[in-house]
């Protein structure tokens, strides 16, 4: 998983973050694993109460925007095998 710079700083990590996911590799499973390993990230990518993606956060994998996919949709096989990263991107807003 690749986090945006401000979340890497918050989690005190550099580069990619690797997590182990038991069962199907889904957005929910990956984000749950990241938040378990880095509790300071809880509420930064998803709302604490609803677990829905925050408005200015986008999820990408294999050159596809997965932001609006249901959270339990399996991620592409290349992500599940570690060949491609799951990207968390902070969206730009304003004008």
């Amino acid at each position: 998983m690749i986090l945006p710079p401000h979340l890497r700083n918050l989690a005190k990590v550099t580069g990619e973050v690797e997590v182990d996911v038991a069962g199907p590799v889904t957005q929910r499973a990956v984000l749950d694993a990241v938040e378990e390993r880095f509790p300071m990230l809880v509420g930064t990518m998803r709302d604490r109460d609803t677990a829905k993606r925050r408005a200015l956060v986008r999820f990408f994998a294999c050159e596809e925007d997965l932001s609006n996919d249901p959270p339990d949709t399996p991620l592409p096989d290349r992500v599940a095998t570690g060949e491609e990263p799951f990207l968390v991107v902070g969206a730009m807003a304003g004008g």
Side-chain angles (χ1 to χ4, degrees):
M1 168 181 260
I2 298 178
L3 297 169
H6 65 287
L7 294 183
R8 286 196 307 262
N9 288 340
L10 186 61
K12 296 180 174 44
V13 297
T14 58
E16 289 188 29
V17 172
E18 292 186 19
V19 292
D20 290 322
V21 176
V25 179
T26 64
Q27 283 183 26
R28 184 187 314 271
V30 169
L31 294 172
D32 285 349
V34 168
E35 290 175 348
E36 183 177 321
R37 183 170 168 197
F38 303 101
M40 69 286 289
L41 296 180
V42 173
T44 61
M45 297 173 281
R46 303 181 291 181
D47 181 88
R48 285 180 187 262
D49 297 324
T50 65
K52 290 184 179 180
R53 175 183 57 83
R54 292 211 168 271
L56 295 179
V57 174
R58 308 294 290 182
F59 302 136
F60 292 87
C62 301
E63 299 181 20
E64 292 182 43
D65 185 348
L66 307 176
S67 303
N68 294 314
D69 286 2
D72 292 318
T73 302
L75 292 174
D77 289 339
R78 294 178 58 98
V79 174
T81 61
E83 294 175 56
E84 292 281 336
F86 179 71
L87 299 140
V88 177
V89 178
M92 301 286 276

